[in-house]
Amino acid sequence: MYSDTFLATQWTDGVITSSASLPSLVSAMLHLLDVHDGQQVLEIGTGTGYNTALLCHRVGDTRVASVEIDPTLVDDARDQLAGLRLEPLLVAGAGAPQAGPYDRVLSTCASPGIPAAWIEQLADGGVIVAPFTFGGALAKVTRTGSGEVSGWFDTEHAWFMPLRPAGATGPAGLLVDLPDPAAPAAIHENDSTVDLDTLQDPDFRLWLCLHLPEARLVPVVSDDLSAHTGLIVHTATHRADYTIDADGQGRVIQDDRRLWDTVEAAWRAWHAHDAPSRERIGITARADGVQRAWLDTPDSGVTWPLPL
Ligand SMILES: C[S@@+](CC[C@H](N)C(=O)[O-])C[C@H]1O[C@@H](n2cnc3c(N)ncnc32)[C@H](O)[C@@H]1O
């Protein structure tokens, strides 16, 4: 039976480690990829092989490569695809198989930046479509003659499981537990001018992630789950708790790391730049590891390093 839902297809230690993505998102990402006849295509994250089959249908199986870190999944996908008489190049591992250059790279796992191997194996003029680990961001970048890739975040929101490092056997270790509140002596309490509406705006959340790449954002909801009442921003060792009181005033309790001061600064900057939507944020990345996001133009002066 077909439905527009994502399907978890593998669990490891209670964490989803493979899935068939939401069909409407698969379709939106394939549109963004804009594949043409005769192009060589690389998929990152074979999983079930479903998306691989769609790519084979578009350009022919001899032009498709797909890499999957879990060798068991590669074997299963190979069997499934063989049943459709498709024999793309399936590789167990990470990075990009050396069968490039590729005209198109489609990642189906999230990354904090663009891995060097994908840029190195991309043809000049080639396109990478990749989801990021923060803010539900999805980027489309194109390789220029100088070997750099540059492009923009898309309007589409894409939440994908994180890319596992080469050799990893378990789930990616991106999840960080909420630390306990700090000892009272290290606590700062203050009012906040940040409003809840802005905090709930997905484009502001992406903006905030760029300012605080090491932090996680945890929404606080009312007891009956009907309304958002605050936000916890935390790293592995520090936290700031923001809540709205009965008078509608935002209040913050934060420890010495003062994460909320950065939230306030990001909020002021976001409004000063007319509440930028995600399509106003671009990315430039080089295979040598220099990667950054920027607002409007690469030299606008509003820029953030990407933590690859
Ligand atoms: C969302 S699922 C893939 C969905 C798949 N394209 C499909 O159509 O079923 C993401 C996959 O990426 C794989 N993966 C995670 N890290 C990887 C890496 N570094 N290189 C290749 N695959 C990876 C996971 O094992 C998982 O199967």
Side-chain angles (χ1 to χ4, degrees):
M1 194 178 75
Y2 284 94
S3 67
D4 193 21
T5 44
F6 112 103
L7 278 181
T9 51
Q10 181 178 263
W11 298 75
T12 311
D13 301 334
V15 177
I16 297 172
T17 46
S18 194
S19 64
S21 310
L22 195 71
S24 54
L25 183 57
V26 171
S27 165
M29 288 171 71
L30 288 172
H31 277 290
L32 201 57
L33 194 66
D34 191 25
V35 182
H36 294 266
D37 289 348
Q39 291 189 326
Q40 296 292 132
V41 184
L42 169 65
E43 178 193 29
I44 311 295
T46 316
T48 60
Y50 179 75
N51 210 353
T52 324
L54 295 175
L55 290 168
C56 292
H57 178 69
R58 178 64 188 85
V59 285
D61 57 354
T62 57
R63 296 191 179 278
V64 175
S66 184
V67 60
E68 165 58 58
I69 200 159
D70 184 329
T72 321
L73 295 178
V74 177
D75 290 342
D76 290 349
R78 184 173 284 116
D79 289 347
Q80 293 290 337
L81 290 162
L84 300 170
R85 303 209 183 137
L86 299 173
E87 292 184 7
L89 174 65
L90 298 186
V91 177
Q98 301 288 314
Y102 301 101
D103 304 293
R104 297 288 185 266
V105 175
L106 175 65
S107 177
T108 64
C109 15
S111 163
I114 309 281
W118 306 355
I119 302 174
E120 283 160 359
Q121 289 285 310
L122 189 66
D124 284 343
V127 166
I128 298 173
V129 170
F132 278 65
T133 43
F134 51 84
L138 177 68
K140 176 175 181 170
V141 293
T142 303
R143 183 172 155 138
T144 63
S146 62
E148 194 172 81
V149 294
S150 191
W152 300 90
F153 285 139
D154 190 67
T155 50
E156 196 72 44
H157 296 198
W159 301 95
F160 276 81
M161 64 185 61
L163 201 66
R164 285 187 258 163
T169 49
L174 263 193
L175 298 176
V176 176
D177 289 338
L178 187 65
D180 292 333
I187 277 182
H188 306 269
E189 281 192 70
N190 49 278
D191 288 349
S192 174
T193 46
V194 175
D195 64 287
L196 202 53
D197 283 350
T198 302
L199 285 178
Q200 287 176 254
D201 185 317
D203 289 341
F204 175 72
R205 302 277 283 253
L206 170 59
W207 177 266
L208 186 53
C209 291
L210 290 165
H211 286 77
L212 276 174
E214 74 280 28
R216 283 191 69 217
L217 314 177
V218 181
V220 180
V221 291
S222 57
D223 288 344
D224 65 358
L225 307 180
S226 66
H228 278 92
T229 56
L231 183 73
I232 302 173
V233 177
H234 75 94
T235 64
T237 46
H238 297 284
R239 67 188 273 177
D241 294 55
Y242 164 95
T243 43
I244 290 281
D245 70 14
D247 303 327
Q249 172 64 53
R251 298 204 191 282
V252 177
I253 300 177
Q254 57 181 336
D255 61 28
D256 279 339
R257 170 67 179 75
R258 301 195 77 113
L259 289 166
W260 200 262
D261 293 5
T262 306
V263 178
E264 292 265 2
W267 181 83
R268 281 193 297 276
W270 198 66
H271 286 294
H273 290 288
D274 300 324
S277 54
R278 58 190 58 215
E279 318 89 88
R280 282 180 59 193
I281 299 173
I283 289 173
T284 303
R286 301 182 61 85
D288 65 11
V290 179
Q291 308 213 351
R292 62 195 185 93
W294 32 263
L295 178 67
D296 294 329
T297 63
D299 53 4
S300 65
V302 182
T303 181
W304 307 266
L306 289 176
L308 190 65

